[in-house]
Amino acid sequence: MSWPRLSPSSPPARDRILGLTARATGLLGVSAVVLVGLFLLKETGSLLGRVPLEALFGSEWQPSLGRYGLAPILVGSVTVTLGSVLLATPLGVLLAVFLQFHAPPSVATVLLRGLELLAGVPSVVFGFLGLTSLAPLLGQTLLTGVLVLGLMILPTLALLAHSGLASVGSGPRLAAAALGLSVPAIAWRVIVPAARRTLTTAVLLATGRALGETMAVLMVTGNVIDWPRSLTAPVRTLTAHVALEMSYAEGDHRAALFLSGLVLFLLAGALVVLGARLGRAGATARG
């Protein structure tokens, strides 16, 4: 008895269209990133070719005298960002563990909807809140910026951490419960270590958002170009720097502001690369 020969069936037209659309969208996104990078390089190329790097990343910003030192502004950006992440990370993980293991379902649902709402609030609202509530007490300082930025990224970080804990699955929980571990022990000794890759990715995404924030830090950090010598000192971030001076900048001054944008672009790219490597490392470990 001979069996009929089966030819491989081609995917339906709808699947082919969806696949082509997905590829085109991905290509468009990559092209946009490349074009942004090339544009920033083009705008800063003339300045980079004439001014030495030690002058561009020195400590003095005086465009009228040809001094374009970005070092204090870069350090201010990194300090505000790291401070807000260090503040929001433990709070976000604690909140995620509470929602996942301790909160009653009705309470967890309400809190999750509230976090989703806060995550969508425009940053200028957080800046206005800090300007009217914290700035009168603490001044327009590094500390005020850290508190406002930490509050702003907390909902996003908590939601991502909650999703990471939920992605672990029921297997490790059931095994730990069968061994007689308590709920806190299951949460902190089993689930959180198992989700550490996802939690790290959540922290990196929150760091990226904090690094690129403009309006909130512009309103509360004082915008003084100086080294952040204490928590009560005013600072200026790269994003606020560009927003404040781009409207009237010309020539090399304008190119130096584009250099600020290029530095931010490279820092964001480094976070993306780090997140991708951690994701690959996690996949290899699971494999």
Side-chain angles (χ1 to χ4, degrees), residues 48-105:
L48 291 173
R50 291 183 293 100
V51 181
L53 287 179
E54 55 267 23
L56 292 174
F57 292 95
S59 59
E60 292 187 50
W61 176 265
Q62 295 182 338
S64 59
L65 300 178
R67 298 171 184 170
Y68 306 103
L70 293 174
I73 308 171
L74 175 59
V75 173
S77 284
V78 173
T79 305
V80 173
T81 299
L82 289 181
S84 64
V85 171
L86 290 175
L87 175 65
T89 296
L91 294 177
V93 174
L94 284 172
L95 185 55
V97 170
F98 171 74
L99 292 171
Q100 189 69 227
F101 295 95
H102 301 286

Side-chain angles (χ1 to χ4, degrees), residues 131-150:
L131 185 64
T132 56
S133 301
L134 293 177
L137 300 175
L138 305 174
Q140 292 179 307
T141 62
L142 169 63
L143 179 58
T144 309
V146 167
L147 293 175
V148 170
L149 205 53

Side-chain angles (χ1 to χ4, degrees), residues 148-209:
V148 170
L149 205 53
L151 178 63
M152 193 188 76
I153 66 174
L154 176 59
T156 301
L157 202 154
L159 289 170
L160 293 172
H162 179 267
S163 298
L165 296 178
S167 68
V168 173
S170 60
R173 304 187 192 202
L174 295 176
L179 293 174
L181 294 181
S182 63
V183 172
I186 293 173
W188 294 106
R189 297 184 183 179
V190 179
I191 304 302
V192 170
R196 63 184 181 277
R197 300 287 182 185
T198 310
L199 295 178
T200 302
T201 302
V203 173
L204 290 176
L205 290 173
T207 303
R209 185 184 180 192

Side-chain angles (χ1 to χ4, degrees), residues 13-286:
R14 182 175 59 183
D15 292 347
R16 291 199 300 271
I17 293 174
L18 289 175
L20 290 173
T21 303
R23 292 189 184 92
T25 303
L27 181 61
L28 180 62
V30 173
S31 301
V33 173
V34 172
L35 288 174
V36 169
L38 292 176
F39 174 74
L40 291 173
L41 283 173
K42 172 182 174 295
E43 294 295 328
T44 59
S46 59
L47 186 66
L48 291 173
R50 291 183 293 100
V51 181
L53 287 179
E54 55 267 23
L56 292 174
F57 292 95
S59 59
E60 292 187 50
W61 176 265
Q62 295 182 338
S64 59
L65 300 178
R67 298 171 184 170
Y68 306 103
L70 293 174
I73 308 171
L74 175 59
V75 173
S77 284
V78 173
T79 305
V80 173
T81 299
L82 289 181
S84 64
V85 171
L86 290 175
L87 175 65
T89 296
L91 294 177
V93 174
L94 284 172
L95 185 55
V97 170
F98 171 74
L99 292 171
Q100 189 69 227
F101 295 95
H102 301 286
S106 58
V107 175
T109 300
V110 172
L111 289 177
L112 284 172
R113 299 294 85 78
L115 288 173
E116 291 171 356
L117 179 63
L118 285 175
V121 173
S123 60
V124 67
V125 176
F126 287 97
F128 183 73
L129 177 65
L131 185 64
T132 56
S133 301
L134 293 177
L137 300 175
L138 305 174
Q140 292 179 307
T141 62
L142 169 63
L143 179 58
T144 309
V146 167
L147 293 175
V148 170
L149 205 53
L151 178 63
M152 193 188 76
I153 66 174
L154 176 59
T156 301
L157 202 154
L159 289 170
L160 293 172
H162 179 267
S163 298
L165 296 178
S167 68
V168 173
S170 60
R173 304 187 192 202
L174 295 176
L179 293 174
L181 294 181
S182 63
V183 172
I186 293 173
W188 294 106
R189 297 184 183 179
V190 179
I191 304 302
V192 170
R196 63 184 181 277
R197 300 287 182 185
T198 310
L199 295 178
T200 302
T201 302
V203 173
L204 290 176
L205 290 173
T207 303
R209 185 184 180 192
L211 183 64
E213 175 51 39
T214 302
M215 287 305 301
V217 293
L218 187 150
M219 296 171 71
V220 300
T221 55
N223 300 304
V224 175
I225 302 176
D226 198 1
W227 299 99
R229 294 183 173 85
S230 69
L231 286 174
T232 57
V235 296
R236 179 182 288 191
T237 65
L238 288 170
T239 51
H241 183 58
V242 174
L244 286 169
E245 300 196 9
M246 183 57 78
S247 60
Y248 60 87
E250 297 178 352
D252 287 347
H253 183 189
R254 183 174 181 272
L257 294 179
F258 273 103
L259 178 61
S260 302
L262 180 61
V263 171
L264 283 171
F265 182 81
L266 294 176
L267 289 175
L271 289 174
V272 171
V273 171
L274 180 59
R277 290 195 173 186
L278 290 175
R280 285 196 297 269
T284 303
R286 288 192 295 271

